[in-house]
Amino acid sequence: MTYPRVRKAVFPVAGLGTRFLPATKAMAKEMLTVLDRPLIQHAVDEAASAGIEQFIFVNGRGKSAIDDHFDLAFELERTLEARGKTAELGRSRAMVPMPGNVISVRQQQPKGLGHAVWCARHAVGDEPFAVFLPDDLVLGDRPCIGELVELYERTGGNVVAIQDVPREHTNRYGVLDVGEDDGHVAEVKGLVEKPEPDVAPSTLTIIGRYILLPEMFEHLERQEPTAGNEVQLTDAMAKMIGSAPFHGLRFSGTRFDCGTKLGFLQANLAFGLEDEDVGVDLAAFAKNLLLNKG
Ligand code: G1P
């Protein structure tokens, strides 16, 4: 059986980034950089590497830097050209999607992740789509979304990236109630948003990569606010269980929660250590620093 191809990705980027104040006072938190590129570009690059062609940003006020980042920068490029900086010019141009392939929609009020995804309904239309939470950055040999797309191509239905967490952390995540599980792919038979550890149905949690069917929008349309008084994507997903296949995939990479200072710093260190220009020197510096700290 072949399923419709995943061509579009939704990036909810309307959040205020309060945990990173004052850094995010006049700047979108998705523009914070890990190594040499902003978080949002890591997410867009990952999407593009899995064959996704259209990028839908669910923006808020004051987030225009994200749209500008994915546009040609005429003055900058002319200057680079005049100075013979060909490599830099190539890098600046290569990351700009084809004209018409970036769409921005506004989430006018901060009503939660489910509401943000629902705001993209007209741009997505009637086809399966990916959702990326750019705070969740995954480092690995294979792009996380590519692994999800591969599973979707075999099973159809909804697919989410999952990881096991310590039980005391279940109240930070969407948590799975698991059916059949081969240790790699888990059938989802229930979902709860941020349950307390004593009532969580498992310790398998969703991280910010999803492949969703367009029927999700009908459930989001009717979704009332729940956990945190927000419209939750998890609740709308839970409503689809039973009507379409639904799987969680233990992806192969390492996830960093760049919505926290610790996760963000860990991501910079991990990406830096992998980098061919700075990795060796950074490792030597980090070792020295730790030795001197005793
Ligand atoms: C969101 C989702 C949650 C998911 C998490 C992954 O929560 O609502 O289900 O597990 O992202 O990062 P948030 O981190 O926005 O509170």
Side-chain angles (χ1 to χ4, degrees):
M1 173 123 193
T2 51
Y3 299 102
R5 202 159 76 78
V6 181
R7 303 184 310 141
K8 302 185 178 184
V10 174
F11 304 84
V13 290
L16 292 176
T18 47
R19 272 191 278 191
F20 276 94
L21 282 169
T24 49
K25 192 174 168 199
M27 185 183 81
K29 71 169 170 167
E30 296 78 11
M31 292 302 291
L32 291 170
T33 54
V34 169
L35 191 59
D36 59 355
R37 65 198 63 201
L39 283 169
I40 187 63
Q41 195 185 335
H42 280 284
V44 165
D45 289 350
E46 187 185 322
S49 74
I52 290 171
E53 296 154 2
Q54 292 183 31
F55 311 99
I56 303 162
F57 299 132
V58 183
N59 256 317
R61 291 173 69 79
K63 293 276 185 136
S64 53
I66 295 177
D67 287 342
D68 289 343
H69 184 73
F70 292 98
D71 196 0
L72 290 176
F74 182 69
E75 297 88 342
L76 170 69
E77 284 162 22
R78 214 172 49 173
T79 310
L80 291 175
E81 213 161 18
R83 293 187 184 161
K85 297 205 176 264
T86 332
E88 289 83 352
L89 182 63
R91 272 207 296 280
S92 172
R93 282 190 179 149
M95 48 138 302
V96 176
M98 295 273 288
N101 281 4
V102 173
I103 299 172
S104 271
V105 297
R106 277 280 173 109
Q107 184 186 21
Q108 294 149 330
Q109 287 174 287
K111 290 184 170 179
L113 177 60
H115 179 256
V117 172
W118 176 78
C119 289
R121 67 202 178 284
H122 298 307
V124 170
D126 190 22
E127 56 183 285
F129 60 103
V131 175
F132 283 75
L133 308 187
D135 278 359
D136 280 336
L137 183 56
V138 183
L139 177 63
D141 294 336
R142 304 177 59 211
C144 181
I145 200 70
E147 293 184 328
L148 262 58
V149 167
E150 269 171 35
L151 178 61
Y152 161 82
E153 283 168 352
R154 281 192 280 127
T155 60
N158 297 308
V159 180
V160 291
I162 56 171
Q163 70 173 16
D164 214 0
V165 302
R167 185 162 273 277
E168 62 269 26
H169 292 172
T170 56
N171 55 9
R172 302 179 187 175
Y173 299 97
V175 177
L176 270 62
D177 189 1
V178 180
E180 261 182 55
D181 184 0
D182 66 6
H184 181 51
V185 176
E187 183 200 349
V188 181
K189 65 171 205 205
L191 285 169
V192 199
E193 182 66 11
K194 304 196 171 77
E196 290 305 324
D198 53 333
V199 293
S202 78
T203 52
L204 278 180
T205 63
I206 302 172
I207 76 123
R209 299 289 182 278
Y210 311 73
I211 308 282
L212 302 176
L213 298 180
E215 289 77 19
M216 194 64 68
F217 292 120
E218 293 160 28
H219 297 285
L220 287 170
E221 179 95 40
R222 291 192 292 269
Q223 188 57 51
E224 295 291 322
T226 52
N229 200 26
E230 293 191 337
V231 177
Q232 295 294 345
L233 181 59
T234 303
D235 295 333
M237 291 195 298
K239 300 241 166 64
M240 283 194 72
I241 295 167
S243 64
F246 205 141
H247 296 94
L249 175 75
R250 292 176 181 82
F251 54 99
S252 61
T254 306
R255 172 251 188 181
F256 297 93
D257 180 1
C258 293
T260 67
K261 282 181 205 166
L262 179 62
F264 178 72
L265 291 170
Q266 287 169 333
N268 264 300
L269 185 58
F271 275 71
L273 290 173
E274 291 282 311
D275 185 69
E276 54 180 45
D277 288 338
V278 301
V280 174
D281 290 344
L282 181 63
F285 170 78
K287 268 189 204 146
N288 242 328
L289 197 66
L290 292 175
L291 277 179
N292 291 337
K293 275 205 117 188

